[in-house]
Amino acid sequence: MKRTTSFFAMILAPALLLSGCGQGRQAPTVRVGVALYDQSDTFISTVTQQLEQLFQEEEQLRGIKINVSLADGRSSQSVQNEQVDRFLDQGYDIICVNIVDRTAAAVIVDKAQGAQVPVIFFNREPVEEDLRRWEGAYYVGSKADRAGILQGQLVLDAWREDPARLDRSGDGVLQYVMLEGEAGHQDTLLRTEYSIQTLTAGGLSSEKLQSATANWQRGQASARMTQWLEQLGGAIEAVFANNDDMALGAIDACLAAGMTAEELPFIVGVDATPPALEAVAAGTLKGTVRNDAAGQARSIVDLSCALLDGQSASSAVTLEDGKYVWLAYTAVTAENLEQFRQAQ
């Protein structure tokens, strides 16, 4: 990147001069554009809230104005491309992108490079070749296969502890259904694959009764689960959901069908969103995998400030392969729930 001088220092100097002259003029503004794939997604909303809070703290610390502008792509890559174009055309200083289509990052990277504006992708990982097109492009997120492994381990541990709790049919085989995110999305594929692979590696036989795409959405998951309950009844012993919103949708369907919390299948999700943690506390969600929203937001802000300060990215965050900031997943159950609820 060509930005070698501290951007914060460049804008802060005239602000100090103005205050010294007693003109009462406002300090200059740093503009941060945040392009979201879908702002209604519970996890993305949580990350966004954390981002806004942390940038406000930086604003107070530095004595300048940091303007964070959010744009909702509404699950359309063409809409998101237009939003990124507006950020660049209006001279934004850094852009953060939760990309709609992970295979479409090249266009955004090339435009950011042309404008010499750093771009930080987060939570939805671009194709590696696209990210490597320019040194000013980075990614902050978590490895999707690890989420699948931990989710599978939650079920495997519960089976080993008390097989009868899950094995309602008594056949020694776990009958499950799978609620999947977007078709073809990397998180969908890896979370699905590795959750079941973990069961197999642990010696647990399993049988998939049904699987369907619910696009990360609670309502769609509830509709799917309602259909399966009508078809399969009590044969469903476990529900794997690629995220918490879909897990909560499955719970909604079960409760609407008249089940008590004790009668629900063993349902697990991913993200550890606030509503999901409440469901764990209630005993309807048996476990989830914490996707570190606060950690992602903190890394994005630290990386943004380092780049605007003219510092190397590695001075602010731990980078892997010069491009990636990886946050760890953590399994959440009723036993360790409180530490995560307190961290909200």
Side-chain angles (χ1 to χ4, degrees):
M1 292 170 58
K2 293 181 180 178
R3 191 193 300 274
T4 56
T5 304
S6 168
F7 180 74
F8 281 130
M10 289 170 60
I11 69 166
L12 196 53
L16 292 173
L17 287 173
L18 289 170
S19 64
C21 293
Q23 298 298 312
R25 295 169 62 180
Q26 291 184 341
T29 299
V30 175
R31 291 183 291 178
V32 180
V34 181
L36 306 172
Y37 100 94
D38 185 344
Q39 198 168 354
S40 67
D41 183 290
T42 304
F43 179 74
I44 295 305
S45 176
T46 303
V47 175
T48 302
Q49 291 169 14
Q50 294 279 348
L51 271 177
E52 292 180 307
Q53 178 181 332
L54 291 171
F55 272 121
Q56 286 177 3
E57 292 174 4
E58 289 293 332
E59 179 180 72
Q60 295 171 3
L61 178 66
R62 296 172 182 272
I64 61 173
K65 178 68 176 176
I66 301 178
N67 182 15
V68 179
S69 297
L70 306 178
D72 186 353
R74 302 186 300 279
S75 297
S76 168
Q77 189 59 57
S78 61
V79 168
Q80 187 173 74
N81 287 345
E82 293 172 359
Q83 292 167 341
V84 171
D85 285 344
R86 284 197 294 273
F87 286 148
L88 295 174
D89 291 344
Q90 293 170 10
Y92 275 65
D93 304 299
I94 197 160
I95 55 175
C96 307
V97 181
N98 172 230
I99 197 162
V100 174
D101 180 357
R102 68 179 297 265
T103 67
V107 172
I108 293 175
V109 172
D110 289 348
K111 289 180 178 180
Q113 181 181 17
Q116 288 295 291
V117 174
V119 56
I120 301 171
F121 295 92
F122 66 97
N123 192 62
R124 294 164 70 92
E125 182 185 352
V127 174
E128 182 178 2
E129 291 77 6
D130 292 345
L131 198 64
R132 295 195 179 280
R133 294 173 72 91
W134 181 45
E135 62 181 345
Y138 300 90
Y139 176 71
V140 174
S142 301
K143 295 183 178 180
D145 58 343
R146 183 62 181 166
I149 291 169
L150 290 176
Q151 193 181 53
Q153 195 66 47
L154 285 169
V155 177
L156 183 60
D157 289 346
W159 180 280
R160 287 172 172 170
E161 180 181 345
D162 184 6
R165 179 185 178 195
L166 279 74
D167 190 14
R168 298 178 179 181
S169 65
D171 63 356
V173 177
L174 180 73
Q175 278 79 29
Y176 72 91
V177 296
M178 180 74 70
L179 288 164
E180 301 178 5
E182 294 171 53
H185 190 281
Q186 184 182 38
D187 285 359
T188 297
L189 298 173
L190 294 178
R191 291 176 183 179
T192 298
E193 175 186 355
Y194 279 88
S195 59
I196 305 306
Q197 188 180 101
T198 300
L199 300 184
T200 303
L204 174 55
S205 297
S206 62
E207 177 188 1
K208 181 173 69 176
L209 300 179
Q210 287 284 358
S211 66
T213 296
N215 293 303
W216 312 116
Q217 296 182 22
R218 185 169 182 165
Q220 289 188 29
S222 179
R224 290 290 189 186
M225 190 67 187
T226 298
Q227 294 173 355
W228 293 341
L229 289 172
E230 292 172 353
Q231 297 167 6
L232 301 166
I236 302 173
E237 296 173 338
V239 179
F240 289 88
N242 287 165
N243 79 337
D244 283 341
D245 277 359
M246 293 189 295
L248 294 174
I251 293 170
D252 292 340
C254 291
L255 295 178
M259 292 185 182
T260 64
E262 292 73 22
E263 293 171 333
L264 263 62
F266 196 92
I267 302 173
V268 290
V270 176
D271 282 337
T273 61
L277 295 182
E278 292 308 311
V280 173
T284 52
L285 184 65
K286 301 306 181 183
T288 184
V289 179
R290 180 179 182 243
N291 195 359
D292 190 355
Q296 286 192 29
R298 179 77 267 172
S299 295
I300 292 167
V301 171
D302 288 348
L303 181 54
S304 297
C305 290
L307 296 173
L308 291 170
D309 266 334
Q311 301 173 4
S312 67
S314 59
S315 69
V317 293
T318 300
L319 285 180
E320 186 173 314
D321 297 328
K323 288 288 182 184
Y324 297 91
V325 181
W326 295 117
L327 283 299
Y329 282 110
T330 311
V332 181
T333 63
E335 285 70 28
N336 65 352
L337 173 63
E338 284 309 312
Q339 70 183 81
F340 298 102
R341 295 176 81 182
Q342 292 169 8
Q344 291 182 25

